[in-house]
Amino acid sequence: MKLDITLLHAVVAVAKAGGFREAARVTGSNPSRLSDAVRRAEQQLGVRLFHRTTRTVALTEVGRSLMERLLPAMNEVESALDDINRFRETPAGTLRLNVPVSASRLILPTLVPAFLGRYPDIQLEVVAESNVQDVFRDGCDAGIRYDETLEQDVIALPIGPRQQRFALAASPAYLDQAGRPTHPHELIKHRCIRGRFASGVVPEWEFEKEGERLKVKPAGQLLVSIGSGMDLAVDTAVAGGGIIYLFEEWLKPLLESGKLEPVMQPWWLTFPGPWLYYPDRRLIPAPLRAFIDFVRENGS
C-alpha cells in the first residue's frame, strides 16, 4: 500500500503533539491543514487513526499500533537527513530547547549570542517555562534541568556554573522597619514573597549551615508564578514589600547596588548546577551536535 510521505509526517506530528494546534505550532503549519492531511491518510489507509472530540485528539488502537512501528523509522529518517549536515561547511537546521526560566536568564545569555554568531544557518527556539514536562514529547531536541528533575535514560552534559546558591534578600528600608532575621525560623514573623510552580506546588524555602539543614514554609501577601512572575517579585522586594528567596546570580546586581540587602547569608543553600540533556540515540541532529560541542568547548 502506497501513502504520501507528507501525510505520514502529518500523522506523526499530531500523534507526538497530542493535538492539531500543538502539532501546528511545532511544525510551523496550521491546524486545518494538518487535519486535512490526517483525514486523507485515513481515507487512503481505510482505517481511523485518531478519535476526535472538540477537546481531545487521541490515537485509536490501530493508530497506536501504527505509531509503534512508524515512529522509530521516521525518527531514523529524520536523524539520517540531519546527519547530512556534517558534510556542510556550516551546520543548518532548527534546534529547540526546553529550559527553566532561570536558565534562560542566567545560563543561556553567556552562550547563545556567540553560538548563533558561529552558526548563522541554525535557527534556535528556546521554550522557557517553570513546569517540568516530557521535553521530547513536545518536540524539543534537548532540555536543561537540575538533578532532581532529570529524566531517565538520557545523556547529561554540565552546563553553566557547577555550584549555585539560593539567596535571601530584602530592601534596607524593609529590614530597618521589620528587623533583620538571623535564623530561618524567624522568617515566620516576616512578609515573604513566595513563588508557585505551574503544577500548583508552593515550594518551601531551604537553608543549610554547618551541616544543619532546615525547611521553612513562609507566609506573605504576594504569591507569583515561578518563572513569569519573578520580575514582579524582585521589583516588590526592592520597593520594600518583603523578603525574597531566589538565585544569587539573579539578585547579584541588586545586592551589589545596595537596592537589596543580603539576609542570613551564612544559611544560604548551595546546590549543584544544571545539565543539558538529550536522548541517548545513535544519530544526533546536526544543530544539537553543534550546540553540545559548543557547550563543551566553552566549559562551565
Side-chain angles (χ1 to χ4, degrees), residues 11-19 50 67 71 75 78 136-139:
V11 170
V12 169
V14 173
K16 290 171 69 174
F50 296 93
M67 288 303 105
L71 277 175
N75 288 336
E78 291 177 4
F136 310 126
R137 181 199 65 195
D138 290 338

Side-chain angles (χ1 to χ4, degrees), residues 109-277:
T110 63
L111 295 170
V112 165
F115 174 74
L116 296 179
R118 179 181 295 186
Y119 300 107
D121 293 331
I122 290 179
Q123 299 290 318
L124 176 62
E125 181 179 352
V126 177
V127 180
E129 51 197 356
S130 65
N131 57 311
V132 177
Q133 61 175 350
D134 183 347
V135 169
F136 310 126
R137 181 199 65 195
D138 290 338
C140 290
D141 301 291
I144 295 178
R145 291 288 187 270
Y146 288 86
D147 284 340
E148 69 273 15
T149 54
L150 272 179
E151 297 178 21
Q152 300 297 314
D153 301 321
V154 297
I155 299 175
L157 173 72
I159 185 170
R162 297 327 302 146
Q163 279 198 331
Q164 294 182 302
R165 287 200 300 178
F166 279 125
L168 200 68
S171 72
Y174 171 83
L175 295 172
D176 288 342
Q177 181 269 326
R180 288 168 170 78
T182 59
H183 190 278
H185 290 156
E186 296 176 32
L187 293 174
I188 302 300
K189 302 176 183 178
H190 283 265
R191 296 201 308 271
C192 295
I193 301 169
R194 299 165 298 153
R196 178 166 56 195
F197 287 109
S199 64
V201 173
V202 178
E204 297 176 305
W205 291 3
E206 296 186 57
F207 302 95
E208 185 174 26
K209 179 184 177 184
E210 297 175 353
E212 182 182 5
R213 194 156 184 159
L214 297 175
K215 291 184 179 182
V216 175
K217 187 175 290 186
Q221 293 174 281
L222 180 62
L223 178 66
V224 303
S225 296
I226 291 177
S228 59
M230 296 318 298
D231 285 338
L232 172 61
V234 172
D235 290 344
T236 301
V238 170
I243 298 177
I244 191 169
Y245 178 85
L246 193 58
F247 291 90
E248 180 183 7
E249 284 300 310
W250 197 317
L251 298 179
K252 188 175 181 180
L254 297 169
L255 292 169
E256 292 177 342
S257 70
K259 292 182 178 180
L260 290 179
E261 179 181 322
V263 175
M264 292 178 0
Q265 198 163 4
W267 283 95
W268 288 4
L269 178 70
T270 299
F271 56 96
W275 302 82
L276 172 71
Y277 75 104

